[in-house]
Amino acid sequence: MARGAAFASLVLVAAALACGRGDETAGKIGKSAPESPPTFVGRSACAVCHKAEAAAWRISDHARAMEKATPPSVLGDFQGARFNGHGGVTSTFTTRDEKFFVRTEGPDGKPGDFGIAYTFGVDPLQQYLIPFPGGRYQAFGVAWDTRPRDKGGQRWFDLHPGEKLTPPDPLHWTGREQTWNYQCAECHSTDLRKNYDLAKDRYHTTWAEIDVSCEACHGPGSAHVSWARARKEGAPTSYKDSKGLVTRLARAEGSWTLRDKKRGIAEWSGAPRTTAQLDVCARCHARRRPIVDPYPPGRPFLDTHAPALLEAGLYHADGQILGEVYEYGSFIQSRMFRAGVACSDCHDPHALALRKPGNALCGQCHLPAKFDVPAHHHHPEGSEAARCVSCHMPARTYMVVDPRRDHSFRVPRPDLSAEIGTPNACTGCHGDRSPRWAAGKIGAWYGPPSNARRPAFAAAIDAGRRGRVSAEKDLAALAIDPEQPGIARATALSLLPEYLTPASLPALEAALGDRDPLVRASSLTAIEALPIEQRPRLASPALRDPVLLVRLAAARALAGAPRGTLTTRGQSDLDRALQELIASERVSDERPESHVNLAILYAQLGRSADAEAELRTALRLDPRFVPAMVNLADLYRAQGRETDAERQLQEAIRIAPDNAEALHALGLLRVRQGRREDGVALLRRASAMRPESARFAYVYAVGLDSTGDRAGAIRVLEEAHRKRPAEREVLSALVSYEQARGDRRAALTYAEQLLKLSPGDPQVRALIESLRREMGAR
């Protein structure tokens, strides 16, 4: 990913990773609140007045999110049970003096005995946390299935079935991807403080309460307790509007009212609804990374976390869940979200149970006489297929035994399955039928899909992912379509830089002023594709955006901009936003990815010594972290230290022989050294490792041509063009090589395709005219 001329091939690495209607801030204590910040008081103080809520919470999964490992809390079989995992590792679970142990493969690859400190979760599985040096707790990779035996439960099982994970693999239970302090802790305890010491590489993690208790959602309660006591004693309460609450989560005054029985769907009547509930729930029910530490209760979600977009591998092109993404990214795609539905309309926030069983839950707002009948669902009444969720909330199973439902509340779209390969609930159940059969059934029952029902963004995102010819036009149109979900529009902007031309630049500029902060942030990331001198005009206003995520994106876009291109105020704003950006990366100081990101930033700012220090810190934390090696080699290359660069790349390939980025970088180095054949061989391997990368194919083709194998270069480019027909660099090379070898007709064909992608490019038009003249002269 290009990040500035001086450090062009550095790889930006995200640390292990919106809202719709405005930038509302959840309720805050007003001017009359006490000056000292509120503190955590514990659930016992809350239960004094809120007995019913406390009783409901005690039976919830939140109450058992994490517990000390004791006989009542440990559900697994520790009476000498043995589990034979993939790769021949046997784990034996035992109890001694009411303490729990597992004998299994340790960080050195040898068997060892490890004590269980805490249980983690309760339904449908329970994991176990094992203390390690440096204040770490590691989540063991063999879990207990807590489901009843007749449901397949009451057994030990491997969370990574079929994978042979051995140390030092980061996914092995002793690796960094299984470290509780970073990966899990924030969402399983109340007022979690990681307290990571980078210099010592150790944690001193603390919490106010071990589980997800009242103040995990409502914020520290001391001011509310003071308000309640004063109210009880009849004394004046100085901040009655907020009641001393840091976060106001009560549902707005009003109700869902069925105004149009023909339509059959209730509409909200009452005070406007805010996203306060979603902001709180999304902190844990989203695929996201924190951007502040410690967490400030009561702030909007995008002031505290950066959510994942509809990325390949996480979501299907139409936004259906694929990877483990939880609920937020799905829900903000839905029409329910746009209508004002909040989490607690369906879920009891204390017991975590659904508010009504089965289809009655949906019947709160969707008229049962219209929707809960065979005329609508076309299945026998009372059957599994007749459940609303079977069609509108299909589930995927994660962690082997944990099915989770898609919260985008979509209609089944087998026609899209036929077009772009996305799944649908119909053929997901009727596996013996084709998507076209299902599309015909749905068309016969309901008619063709209306615009309101169609996820119109699916084709655009699919085009962007696959490099289709229509990608630029489709993505630009999606980015500025206010009828589409903000997360889909932000995703379009994240894909647009690969295709950006003057034709799509107006859409990008329009998105910079969008109401949705997720769209604004993504548009700022997209302008990094523009020359650095063009960015200040577009990005400078965003340095003062009210939402932190947007300011961070603006700082990244402007890092390295010449100071003279900014006003005095702009320079001050940028300095402040850069400090916020650095602080946001420091939130994940224990992660090598964050130090690579900081190295990229410092390189853009001309601070090469700081960049090198950050990359060395990344390698101190993980000596096998290949992205840091590749980036360090690129830094050395920029400094003319070719020998040091070569040493880093050779070590990277020793650790990860099939790492495409390392192979590619070493191939380029070999070419610079004059070892052309060796370099081209490495470029070939890199392209084979990343067949979807048009850039790798292009560079490999250039290398082949430099050895005199122009025919081979053209074959590589033709294959890359077949996979990604909108890749301009590949088309330009094909025009050039075909013209050079005398095949002007082939060159003209590719040039005309290039003109379709860039219809306003005068150079392409001139090239076409030249080729036509040459052909006419023959």
Side-chain angles (χ1 to χ4, degrees), residues 51 186 384 585:
K51 293 181 174 60
E186 181 187 12
E384 179 67 22
E585 293 292 350

Side-chain angles (χ1 to χ4, degrees), residues 512 524 527 534-545 554-555 557-558 561 565-567 569-571 573-574 577:
L512 290 166
L524 287 159
I527 71 168
Q534 294 183 22
R535 301 179 204 170
R537 176 183 67 84
L538 298 170
S540 292
L543 293 169
R544 287 178 169 259
D545 197 279
L558 292 176
T565 62
L566 297 165
T567 64
R569 174 178 174 178
Q571 293 176 18
D573 290 343
L574 177 57

